[in-house]
Amino acid sequence: MKTNDLIDALARNSEAPKTRVWPRLAFALIVGLLIAVGLVLTFFGMRPDIGAARMMVMMKAGFAALGAGVVLPLLLQLAKPGRGPGWRLAAIGGFALLCAGVVAVALMGGDPSTRFEAWMGGAFPWCIVLIPVLATPTAALLGWLVRDLAPTRLAMTGAALGAVSGGVGAMAYAMYCPTDSAAFVATWYAVAIALCAVIGAVVGARLLRW
Amino acid sequence: MIEGEAELKALMLRGLGGDAGAHKAFLAAVSGNLRAFLRSRLRTAPEDAEDLLQEVLIAIHTRRDTYDESYPVTAWIYAIARYRLIDHWRRRQRRGEHIPVEDAHGLFTASEDEAVDAKRDVTKLLAMLPQKQRDSIRLVKLEGVSVRDAAAQIGLTESDVKISTHRGMKTLMRLMAEAEA
């Protein structure tokens, strides 16, 4: 086919498509979270002291939501072609600084003899494995939206997508997570979200192609 | 660029508003610019350039709702074109084809017509270069032979070929600038 004929054919079909970003974004985030919560309830079970620990669970979930929230502008920015990240990277940097600050303040304020335990949570931090698993449904739903927006920097977009999904996964994980120390949460939830970003960059480079 | 950012953006916005004529003019202008861009990147496979151009045009057409008015439309177009070009290289690589490094760099031409003219000029200008530089450029830049093979053919060392190509290209650029002035 000649290129000029193609242009004629394309121009005849002049109805502009419309990708409905916000409804689909809300759908991906809410449904992704619900599925993750369902997975937690089915396979791990809610922590037994959920009544007494309600405040802590809410705070941890809020921290995770903040993590997702600071990366979301970057994801939306990179999802469409020809737009640089700009200030949106600074938001993420600010969140990382906040995490470091929380860890420092919490550990300095605590008893030096229990510092290490407060930081490590006393055992292997399973959240860095489980949060990426719980992030998967959100990542799939977000990927379905983002691919329609024609991202052109796939690894970076995938990293942002992974981090947002990681934040959502961490919100669900907070219902099960038995460790409440602020230093633990600010460290390992952030590490888990960063790990999701790395996985997202690798997987996104392949699966976000359009 | 034949069309500047302002003209292209005006056409794009009118096209998005449902003006089919403006949309067609937009696609036509874009195809002129992109043909030059893609050919300059695919100099060793010009037959792929037109196929790729059509792919990019279809992508631009079907994804035009992803254009954000607060950013330049040329940035949007080239982001898509670059993405499709990289995708094309990736597919070729998966099929085990050789990708010459020379494709990644090179001269920028302004339109299809000029590309044809330019090649004729280059042959003329090449004749003005010393033998060594002329042969190096012809093999490496025009015929897409690897530096090693070119060196073997001319009977020079690889670094000799690289230097000759580089010096020759510089002279060529100067000659072309003079010819244009």
Side-chain angles (χ1 to χ4, degrees):
Chain A
M1 188 185 207
K2 288 227 165 61
T3 301
N4 285 339
D5 297 338
L6 175 73
I7 292 176
D8 286 342
L10 293 179
R12 268 196 297 279
N13 161 29
S14 64
E15 188 88 0
K18 199 91 201 93
T19 306
R20 293 157 55 80
V21 177
W22 297 109
R24 286 175 63 185
L25 177 67
F27 177 82
L29 294 176
I30 293 169
V31 174
L33 178 63
L34 290 178
I35 295 175
V37 167
L39 289 174
V40 169
L41 295 181
T42 312
F43 295 102
F44 314 143
M46 212 181 292
R47 56 189 280 182
D49 59 342
I50 183 77
R54 200 184 305 124
M55 267 318 287
M56 278 320 293
V57 171
M58 295 298 276
M59 280 185 61
K60 286 194 281 185
F63 177 78
L66 184 63
V70 295
V71 190
L72 193 58
L74 179 71
L75 174 63
L76 293 174
Q77 178 77 356
L78 292 175
K80 291 182 177 183
R83 303 194 298 182
W87 56 267
R88 294 157 192 85
L89 282 177
I92 298 169
F95 180 71
L97 282 179
L98 174 75
C99 291
V102 168
V103 173
V105 168
L107 289 185
M108 289 311 140
D111 176 2
S113 60
T114 59
R115 220 172 250 170
F116 186 73
E117 163 141 9
W119 188 50
M120 287 296 293
F124 180 78
W126 276 104
C127 60
I128 63 172
V129 178
L130 297 176
I131 287 174
V133 171
L134 293 172
T136 315
T138 310
L141 289 165
L142 282 177
W144 163 70
L145 163 65
V146 166
R147 256 163 61 117
D148 278 354
L149 298 178
T152 53
R153 299 159 87 167
L154 298 189
M156 208 178 182
T157 312
L161 194 155
V164 171
S165 310
V168 174
M171 287 172 74
Y173 183 76
M175 293 174 44
Y176 161 77
C177 173
T179 316
D180 289 336
S181 126
F184 175 87
V185 172
T187 303
W188 296 109
Y189 278 36
V191 168
I193 291 173
L195 189 63
C196 290
V198 172
I199 299 171
V202 174
V203 177
R206 308 199 125 263
L207 294 190
L208 288 178
R209 283 185 204 159
W210 47 277
Chain B
M1 298 284 287
I2 313 170
E3 302 274 343
E5 165 67 27
E7 291 96 321
L8 280 178
K9 186 166 182 172
L11 287 175
M12 172 73 168
L13 293 181
R14 275 166 55 204
L16 281 175
D19 181 340
H23 185 53
K24 188 175 165 182
F26 171 76
L27 289 176
V30 165
S31 76
N33 289 350
L34 283 181
R35 184 175 287 122
F37 170 76
L38 294 173
R39 285 198 178 171
S40 75
R41 295 297 188 281
L42 289 169
R43 231 167 308 108
T44 52
E47 68 281 1
D48 287 351
E50 202 66 22
D51 287 349
L52 195 52
L53 171 63
Q54 297 195 356
E55 266 180 48
V56 176
L57 284 175
I58 292 172
I60 282 176
H61 174 77
T62 55
R63 308 287 181 142
R64 63 195 194 277
D65 65 317
T66 67
Y67 171 58
D68 178 344
E69 293 181 30
S70 47
Y71 289 81
V73 73
T74 42
W76 178 77
I77 293 166
Y78 278 101
I80 292 178
R82 213 176 299 119
Y83 175 76
R84 279 273 153 249
L85 181 65
I86 290 168
D87 197 57
H88 167 79
W89 276 330
R90 199 158 35 202
R91 273 177 286 161
R92 243 170 53 160
Q93 194 173 34
R94 210 174 305 134
R95 293 203 306 263
E97 289 171 38
H98 171 65
I99 300 163
V101 197
E102 287 76 16
D103 270 357
H105 308 285
L107 296 164
F108 212 91
T109 53
S111 75
E112 186 194 3
D113 301 346
E114 281 182 38
V116 177
D117 288 342
K119 190 153 190 187
R120 219 167 30 223
D121 281 349
V122 164
T123 355
K124 236 186 283 171
L125 294 172
L126 265 180
M128 299 164 77
L129 296 179
Q131 180 81 37
K132 210 160 86 172
Q133 296 180 6
R134 187 166 63 216
D135 288 341
S136 302
I137 290 179
R138 185 174 50 77
L139 287 171
V140 176
K141 295 286 177 187
L142 297 182
E143 297 179 23
V145 175
S146 74
V147 170
R148 181 187 302 194
D149 293 350
Q153 282 189 41
I154 313 172
L156 297 170
T157 66
E158 281 180 43
S159 51
D160 241 356
V161 169
K162 276 187 208 156
I163 295 167
S164 297
T165 313
H166 180 68
R167 289 203 184 132
M169 287 306 282
K170 273 175 98 171
T171 318
L172 267 186
M173 298 297 256
R174 190 170 50 75
L175 289 173
M176 280 162 92
E178 280 171 14
E180 218 138 78

